[in-house]
Amino acid sequence: MIISQLICLLGFVIRLSNAANATFTNPILPGFNPDPSCIFVKEWDNTFFCTTSSFLTFPSIPLYASKDLVHWKHASYAISRGDQLPELYRNSELQTEGTWASTLRYRDGKFYLITSYVSWHDGWGPIILLLTTTDPYDDASWSGPIRFENPEKEIDPDLFWDDDGQVYMSVARGIFIHRVDISTGKILETFTVWNGTGDRNPEGPHIYNKDGYYYLSIGEGGTETNHSAVISRSTTISGPYEGYESNPVLTAKNTDAFFQTVGHTDYFQDATGNWWCVALATRSGPAWEIYPMGRETVLSPMTWDEGGWPIIDPIQGTMSGPLPPANTDLPGDGFWAHGGDEEDFRPGTQIPRQFLFWRPPKESLFKVSPAGHPNSLQVLPSRANLTADSQFEPLEDGMGFISRKQSSSVFQFTVDLEFDPKDADEEAGATVFLTQYQHIDVTVVNTRSCSTGELEQKFRFRPEALGKPGVKVPAARTITVPQAWAGKRMRFTITLDESQTYHFTVAPADKPDEELWMGSASTDIVSGGSGPFHGTLLGVFATSNGGTGKTAAYFSRWRYHPLKQEVESGVFLPIKE
């Protein structure tokens, strides 16, 4: 271990001395962007492409593009229609279901993305899916998916083409390599090759053919603070594979590093032959308690000498490497991964590309600039609220919830609401959402007075922490909507400060200085628990809470301003949009 660390440190020092190097900050894909797989495609104007996991968010499986490894723009979603994967409509108490780790590859003019849909609906039985496109900037161009055989019921599929044209799919846990028919998903031959160094959960395999060897890179140790990346190699695809004596090649375990849970790597070269590593990491420090954005994508330079083993610089918030020249000239109408929002829902526009649902939406619940309410997003109330219930049917009921990823350590999120509820228990407002069992809401709700029986509108602050028993949760709080505010648009504001505390206020939209403080809550409420693989979403919702209400909520002037990123414990850098 000491020799391995010295080698990594030497590589880092050499890079720092290279005058051509430039600094960059991690994460490169901030917020809920775990399990990265990245490639460089010369034929597409020397562009890098990365994909990350989605779980139950929808559209699913984002593809990002970059020219310089620093500025990343959303290109497309591999799954943008519910009928591509109807299983996503399933209701389950387990919030970790959905689309897990993918592998992205390019060959002969076509992008290939192989992934797994994971569910415990009928017992453990992941479905392996292959999607392809010839235009990475067009959602509609993604074909499929083709459903692959999966006899081991495994996850984290990888695709590899050998020099003879044969195609291989490797899968986790206890690594299997299958020779496959890529046109049908049929398995033609199977090899059991390597279980890693003996740690638990060997997963996330990727195969690379280099210098006469087949290198097999995997993650192990679980995706918590024991996570690490290890590697082996063989002179034949079927093995035997010999592990690197200085494994792991990348980890943060047993360190006090701010970036923890480091692993699930993928390796690629740039236009000049430099090697790069992407991995997932959590900005939590070794305590692993506060990490509301969950697992994010980080980048590190690496060396991989001929006939040797990869040497990867340890993950830090600020790093140096031989970056391509700065370049933001990318096509498409996507959003920037580090960017904010200024959405006014103008007539004739669509739901913004960065907006996400929890499972495929019931589309009739959402409309941009409906008649009589221009420059607003109409959200009709769903029967179920954010926590839902055992009778919740995602396809039929839908969830009146729409969101975007929290992508910065310090931010301000504001949205205006026009809402005049008529029936009891109608509710609409804003939320910080990790899962159905962990969210923090500030809303307008129609309640019945205990003394008079009359309906009255209340502002309500309410944290939900069913998914994390034992966490300290502030008490719910209600305030009667002031009479002078009745009938006015309300402005909801959520801020996150450097102490990692969310603050919630409400105010008349035309007098935002007259705000009422509704409550504050620590980010540990939305860290881990029922969403250990997830990151927080910032959004709005409307619900009848199981009642008969049909009153629409109209949201407008949606603003998300990312202000600072924490790059080391207690070190915050301003974000330049």
Side-chain angles (χ1 to χ4, degrees):
M1 175 67 76
I2 294 176
I3 294 175
S4 174
Q5 291 174 337
L6 287 173
I7 292 172
C8 289
L9 180 60
L10 178 61
F12 184 58
V13 170
I14 291 171
R15 285 191 174 85
L16 285 177
S17 66
N18 187 338
N21 283 356
T23 59
F24 62 93
T25 58
N26 277 315
I28 58 166
L29 293 175
F32 177 27
N33 278 297
D35 308 319
S37 179
C38 301
I39 57 176
F40 172 73
V41 185
K42 180 180 179 180
E43 294 87 340
W44 276 83
D45 197 19
N46 291 317
T47 302
F48 302 92
F49 294 93
C50 279
T51 189
T52 60
S53 295
S54 294
F55 294 86
L56 287 175
T57 57
F58 189 90
S60 187
I61 316 179
L63 189 71
Y64 299 94
S66 176
K67 292 289 186 65
D68 57 14
L69 293 172
V70 173
H71 302 94
W72 290 88
K73 186 178 181 180
H74 175 254
S76 63
Y77 293 103
I79 295 179
S80 60
R81 306 178 303 278
D83 60 5
Q84 288 176 281
L85 185 55
E87 286 87 352
L88 280 171
Y89 287 108
R90 291 173 174 172
N91 183 20
S92 173
E93 293 182 1
L94 289 170
Q95 299 289 283
T96 52
E97 296 193 352
T99 52
W100 284 25
S102 309
T103 295
L104 178 67
R105 295 294 183 255
Y106 178 84
R107 183 176 175 85
D108 297 334
K110 183 179 290 188
F111 291 81
Y112 294 81
L113 193 152
I114 192 165
T115 191
S116 58
Y117 165 78
V118 175
S119 173
W120 287 263
H121 187 268
D122 297 313
W124 175 256
I127 302 170
I128 292 179
L129 309 163
L130 176 67
L131 300 106
T132 63
T133 185
T134 56
D135 183 355
Y137 296 98
D138 180 14
D139 291 352
S141 72
W142 284 94
S143 64
I146 298 172
R147 298 189 172 215
F148 273 54
E149 295 180 346
N150 187 15
E152 293 84 21
K153 296 184 177 181
E154 292 296 357
I155 58 173
D156 298 357
D158 172 72
L159 272 186
F160 169 75
W161 282 261
D162 208 345
D163 293 338
D164 61 2
Q166 295 294 321
V167 186
Y168 295 88
M169 175 183 73
S170 54
V171 292
R173 310 189 174 189
I175 307 302
F176 297 89
I177 297 177
H178 302 290
R179 186 167 61 88
V180 296
D181 181 337
I182 201 168
S183 65
T184 65
K186 183 177 179 58
I187 289 175
L188 307 176
E189 192 175 11
T190 298
F191 314 106
T192 304
V193 292
W194 196 47
N195 281 328
T197 68
D199 212 337
R200 68 182 181 92
N201 297 114
E203 57 192 7
H206 292 305
I207 300 174
Y208 310 91
N209 191 351
K210 183 179 184 297
D211 308 327
Y213 289 102
Y214 298 89
Y215 287 87
L216 174 60
S217 169
I218 70 170
E220 65 177 22
T223 191
E224 301 87 23
T225 54
N226 200 47
H227 203 197
S228 59
V230 297
I231 196 166
S232 64
R233 69 185 183 186
S234 171
T235 56
T236 64
I237 186 70
S238 59
Y241 282 79
E242 172 193 5
Y244 179 33
E245 63 180 10
S246 295
N247 274 322
V249 292
L250 186 66
T251 189
K253 67 179 180 180
N254 303 321
T255 74
D256 61 358
F258 179 55
F259 285 82
Q260 288 284 330
T261 74
V262 175
H264 202 105
T265 56
D266 199 5
Y267 311 137
F268 58 95
Q269 289 178 281
D270 61 22
T272 58
N274 298 304
W275 280 94
W276 296 90
C277 166
V278 284
L280 69 79
T282 308
R283 286 185 278 176
S284 64
W288 201 52
E289 294 174 351
I290 302 295
Y291 51 101
M293 287 179 283
R295 304 177 306 159
E296 305 171 282
T297 292
V298 294
L299 175 73
S300 180
M302 57 185 281
T303 56
W304 200 345
D305 293 336
E306 184 175 355
W309 299 91
I311 299 173
I312 308 168
D313 292 350
I315 300 298
Q316 299 181 53
T318 301
M319 301 191 71
S320 177
L323 293 173
N327 186 342
T328 58
D329 183 17
L330 289 161
D333 60 354
F335 56 91
W336 293 97
H338 285 84
D341 300 338
E342 290 196 1
E343 300 295 346
D344 292 314
F345 309 109
R346 296 186 303 276
T349 63
Q350 302 296 316
I351 289 175
R353 300 277 286 159
Q354 70 273 27
F355 281 23
L356 297 170
F357 304 93
W358 196 248
R359 303 185 183 89
K362 184 176 182 179
E363 294 183 1
S364 60
L365 296 180
F366 307 92
K367 190 171 185 179
V368 174
S369 279
H373 295 273
N375 302 303
S376 69
L377 173 65
Q378 175 183 284
V379 181
L380 296 178
S382 53
R383 179 196 65 79
N385 57 26
L386 294 182
T387 304
D389 52 38
S390 59
Q391 287 75 47
F392 174 51
E393 292 293 340
L395 180 59
E396 296 179 11
D397 294 338
M399 183 177 284
F401 166 61
I402 191 168
S403 65
R404 65 105 69 216
K405 295 177 182 179
Q406 178 189 330
S407 61
S408 55
S409 305
V410 177
F411 69 82
Q412 182 187 67
F413 171 57
T414 65
V415 66
D416 291 356
L417 170 63
E418 181 185 344
F419 181 54
D420 187 18
K422 305 300 182 185
D423 291 356
D425 300 320
E426 289 189 306
E427 184 175 18
T431 182
V432 176
F433 181 97
L434 182 72
T435 71
Q436 290 174 219
Y437 310 124
Q438 287 170 254
H439 48 91
I440 312 166
D441 312 329
V442 59
T443 62
V444 173
V445 60
N446 220 20
T447 62
R448 197 171 294 281
S449 170
C450 294
S451 57
T452 67
E454 297 294 320
L455 290 174
E456 54 185 7
Q457 293 182 22
K458 301 272 190 177
F459 290 124
R460 178 157 67 187
F461 164 76
R462 184 166 61 177
E464 175 61 81
L466 284 171
K468 197 174 183 181
V471 69
K472 185 178 180 180
V473 179
R477 184 167 183 258
T478 59
I479 300 175
T480 300
V481 175
Q483 184 62 37
W485 296 14
K488 292 186 175 182
R489 280 190 301 118
M490 307 299 179
R491 179 158 299 169
F492 291 78
T493 300
I494 303 173
T495 59
L496 178 61
D497 61 24
E498 291 185 8
S499 74
Q500 292 301 282
T501 301
Y502 294 108
H503 304 281
F504 300 79
T505 64
V506 294
D510 60 351
K511 296 180 179 180
D513 292 338
E514 296 183 8
E515 65 182 14
L516 292 174
W517 175 82
M518 291 302 302
S520 298
S522 170
T523 56
D524 63 354
I525 295 173
V526 286
S527 298
S530 62
F533 307 142
H534 301 162
T536 44
L537 307 173
L538 305 172
V540 299
F541 70 100
T543 177
S544 66
N545 282 302
T548 59
K550 304 291 184 183
T551 305
Y554 299 93
F555 295 95
S556 59
R557 197 187 172 279
W558 174 298
R559 301 289 187 267
Y560 174 67
H561 295 300
L563 301 175
K564 298 179 183 179
Q565 290 288 19
E566 190 172 13
V567 295
E568 295 295 341
S569 181
V571 178
F572 294 83
L573 297 182
I575 294 174
K576 298 177 182 178
E577 290 192 57

